[in-house]
């Protein structure tokens, strides 16, 4: 499918930035065994693969700065080279180097598998189930608003719009979702934008803001939390979710950063150590994070609690087996484990272009990519992956500005 087709969508998808999208053969990533293991767990409605898209007249929003009302103009193919780029055979957004994972159909399929995996772990698409459903319950004369930052394939936004048909749900990402247009409910729409920009045009607009796996791609997470607080209504809720690049053995001890042949060695852990180091080399010039980007979820609660605009901050950590190896797993967690295994097989491939771009030897990249895939595919080790959630409420108080805002105000007063 030509990348321009992914952009020339219906009015429910508006774009405010940039992207790109060729495809690759994923057969070397997920074996028929793992595909079969997840096929009956993966809802057909969420499949992003389609030979027949309903491409209606689309709109493309121009790249914005801080403008509260970005201009809107029709998409045309002459913009393709600006919006889309091929990155070692995968399609990535072309504007934010800090988010290097692909934005193509294969990656969106992986995110869909991941979504079902996490829903099986939580029993819902979100933690704090009772609180979320109380927040979004139908009320006479009121339509709650939900924002999904880093929407990816759009699956979370679509499920929320179906669960809460009285709500307005907006998904935002650096690239458009690969969706069958008929699967997008009327109360759901998508926009292309960058989470590093402020959203002052949405101040006090949302009852719920959700972000999953957005720590990779955000330059300044502390400021990002202030931006999210600003667009929440008082009492509104922020939910963050992130998967860790640290994996654990069957006793739940973290794999060491060992070399091949050493005690505790894991090829999967070795691959993601290479990923971590490569990503650091690429993003060092633009990142303003005081901690390792891959460890951010461990600090989320501290950052949110120190931000006076949030209250009732909570976290949840879940270790998910890579496969269904644990004999004591419930049916749901066994299914989640198989989905986790499929997700990881695809994620290993998704990170390969970034590692190559970081300056690593292509031969070394190929060796460790293949070894990590073999370890997961052949179930050589009994491992756990780890996911972490944060949620908190927007405090009903006067706005407490960030240090960035205070600095800007000070500079303006001096000027």
């Amino acid at each position: 499918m030509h990348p321009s087709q992914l952009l020339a969508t219906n009015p429910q998808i508006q774009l405010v930035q940039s992207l790109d999208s060729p495809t690759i053969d994923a057969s070397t990533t997920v074996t028929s065994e793992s595909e079969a293991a997840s096929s009956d767990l993966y809802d057909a409605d969420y499949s992003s693969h389609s030979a027949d898209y309903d491409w209606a007249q689309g709109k493309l929003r121009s790249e914005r700065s801080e403008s509260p009302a970005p201009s809107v103009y029709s998409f045309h193919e002459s913009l393709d080279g600006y919006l889309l780029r091929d990155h070692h055979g995968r399609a990535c957004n072309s504007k934010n180097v800090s988010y290097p994972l692909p934005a193509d159909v294969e990656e969106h399929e992986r995110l869909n598998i991941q979504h079902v995996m996490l829903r099986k772990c939580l029993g819902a698409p979100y933690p704090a189930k009772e609180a979320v459903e109380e927040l979004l319950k139908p009320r006479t004369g009121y339509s709650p608003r939900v924002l999904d930052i880093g929407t990816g394939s759009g699956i979370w936004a679509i499920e929320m719009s179906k669960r809460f048909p009285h709500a307005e749900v907006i998904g935002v990402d650096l690239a458009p979702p690969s969706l069958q247009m008929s699967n997008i409910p009327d109360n759901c729409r998508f926009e292309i934008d960058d989470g590093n920009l402020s959203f002052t045009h949405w101040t006090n607009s949302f009852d719920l803001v959700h972000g999953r796996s957005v720590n990779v791609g955000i330059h300044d997470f502390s400021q990002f939390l202030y931006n999210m607080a600003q667009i929440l209504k008082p009492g509104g809720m922020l939910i963050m979710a992130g998967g860790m690049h640290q994996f654990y053995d069957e006793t739940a001890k973290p794999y060491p950063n060992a070399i091949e042949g050493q005690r505790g060695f894991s090829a999967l852990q070795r691959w993601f150590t290479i990923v971590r180091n490569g990503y650091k080399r690429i993003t060092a010039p633009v990142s303003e994070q005081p901690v390792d980007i891959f460890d951010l979820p461990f600090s989320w609660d501290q950052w949110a609690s120190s931000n006076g605009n949030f209250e009732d901050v909570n976290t949840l950590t879940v270790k998910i087996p890579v496969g269904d190896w644990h004999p004591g797993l419930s049916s749901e967690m066994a299914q989640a484990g198989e989905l986790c295994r499929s997700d990881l097989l695809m994620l290993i491939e998704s990170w390969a272009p970034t590692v190559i771009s970081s300056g690593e030897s292509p031969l070394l990249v190929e060796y460790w990519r293949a070894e990590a895939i073999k370890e997961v595919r052949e179930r050589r080790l009994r491992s756990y992956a780890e996911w972490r959630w944060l949620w908190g409420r927007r405090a009903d108080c006067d706005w407490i500005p960030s240090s960035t805002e205070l600095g800007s105000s000070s500079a303006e007063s001096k000027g």
Side-chain angles (χ1 to χ4, degrees):
M1 182 184 302
H2 192 271
S4 63
Q5 290 180 297
L6 289 174
L7 295 172
T9 59
N10 70 7
Q12 285 171 291
I13 300 183
Q14 294 182 309
L15 296 97
V16 196
Q17 262 217 184
S18 60
L19 49 150
D20 76 323
S21 198
T23 61
I24 66 165
D25 180 3
S27 62
T28 59
T29 305
V30 182
T31 65
S32 57
E33 175 193 1
S34 60
E35 287 174 340
S38 62
S39 62
D40 59 337
L41 313 177
Y42 175 58
D43 300 342
D45 285 347
Y46 298 146
S47 176
S48 56
H49 290 278
S50 174
D52 183 21
Y53 282 71
D54 175 20
W55 301 116
Q57 174 62 38
K59 296 292 184 180
L60 175 68
R61 283 188 170 183
S62 65
E63 180 181 350
R64 69 176 178 86
S65 55
E66 301 301 315
S67 170
S71 60
V72 178
Y73 54 92
S74 296
F75 169 78
H76 51 89
E77 289 193 18
S78 64
L79 293 171
D80 240 15
Y82 169 73
L83 294 169
L84 310 175
R85 69 184 176 97
D86 177 84
H87 187 46
H88 295 287
R90 299 296 297 267
C92 296
N93 83 86
S94 63
K95 297 301 291 182
N96 184 353
V97 69
S98 297
Y99 190 84
L101 287 173
D104 51 25
V105 172
E106 286 74 26
E107 177 68 1
H108 288 168
E109 192 74 19
R110 181 187 74 79
L111 294 175
N112 290 351
I113 291 171
Q114 182 184 93
H115 172 82
V116 179
M117 171 191 79
L118 297 176
R119 174 156 45 78
K120 288 184 176 296
C121 291
L122 297 178
Y126 36 76
K129 186 173 184 292
E130 292 183 3
V132 170
E133 292 172 359
E134 174 65 24
L135 186 67
L136 300 182
K137 71 181 182 182
R139 294 178 175 86
T140 303
Y142 182 77
S143 177
R145 301 186 77 199
V146 178
L147 179 66
D148 186 25
I149 294 283
T151 194
S153 67
I155 189 171
W156 189 91
I158 287 179
E159 177 161 345
M160 291 297 287
S161 66
K162 291 180 177 180
R163 283 179 176 248
F164 304 98
H166 56 284
E168 178 188 3
V169 182
I170 302 172
V172 169
D173 207 322
L174 291 158
S178 310
L179 291 167
Q180 297 180 11
M181 296 302 104
S182 59
N183 283 347
I184 303 179
D186 292 340
N187 63 323
C188 181
R189 63 185 174 89
F190 296 93
E191 295 187 2
I192 301 304
D193 211 342
D194 187 344
N196 288 296
L197 302 177
S198 67
F199 295 96
T200 52
H201 56 291
W202 277 335
T203 298
N204 294 330
S205 292
F206 294 100
D207 299 272
L208 177 65
V209 174
H210 171 267
R212 186 159 68 200
S213 299
V214 297
N215 51 303
V216 174
I218 298 300
H219 301 160
D220 184 344
F221 193 78
S222 176
Q223 184 59 44
F224 174 80
L225 286 179
Y226 277 94
N227 294 345
M228 296 302 99
Q230 188 175 40
I231 64 178
L232 281 167
K233 298 175 183 178
M237 182 181 290
L238 172 68
I239 297 176
M240 301 292 296
M244 309 304 296
H245 280 202
Q246 174 66 59
F247 297 88
Y248 299 82
D249 67 19
E250 62 183 316
T251 68
K253 292 181 179 178
Y255 285 117
N257 183 22
I259 62 174
E260 196 168 13
Q262 287 183 334
R263 183 184 179 90
F265 172 78
S266 162
L268 177 65
Q269 188 64 64
R270 179 62 179 162
W271 171 251
F272 279 100
T273 299
I274 293 171
V275 166
R276 178 191 294 248
N277 294 337
Y279 179 84
K280 285 181 182 178
R281 286 194 292 272
I282 290 174
T283 60
V286 297
S287 178
E288 300 176 33
Q289 307 289 4
V291 298
D292 191 317
I293 194 78
F294 295 103
D295 293 333
L296 269 178
F298 287 124
S299 305
W300 279 350
D301 52 338
Q302 300 172 29
W303 290 38
S305 296
S306 64
N307 183 326
N309 299 295
F310 287 105
E311 61 185 8
D312 299 331
V313 175
N314 297 273
T315 61
L316 172 68
T317 301
V318 176
K319 285 185 171 60
I320 306 171
V322 181
D324 60 355
W325 56 266
H326 197 292
L329 294 174
S330 66
S331 173
E332 289 293 289
M333 284 304 295
Q335 292 174 2
E338 282 301 293
L339 290 166
C340 180
R341 182 168 166 268
S342 296
D343 176 28
L344 279 175
L345 284 168
M346 299 180 79
L347 181 60
I348 292 166
E349 295 279 16
S350 292
W351 274 110
T354 299
V355 181
I356 293 172
S357 297
S358 73
E360 287 284 0
S361 160
L363 290 176
L364 187 66
V365 171
E366 174 56 27
Y367 176 79
W368 286 116
R369 182 200 66 83
E371 286 300 301
I373 287 174
K374 286 179 185 178
E375 181 174 293
V376 176
R377 178 183 290 159
E378 297 173 8
R379 307 174 192 263
R380 294 180 179 179
L381 296 177
R382 295 181 170 187
S383 302
Y384 287 102
E386 184 173 77
W387 275 79
R388 187 171 174 84
W389 286 262
L390 163 87
W391 63 97
R393 297 272 190 172
R394 169 72 164 88
D396 189 2
C397 64
D398 292 337
W399 177 251
I400 301 173
S402 68
S403 58
T404 300
E405 293 172 89
L406 291 172
S408 299
S409 299
S410 176
E412 290 174 4
S413 64
K414 291 179 180 179

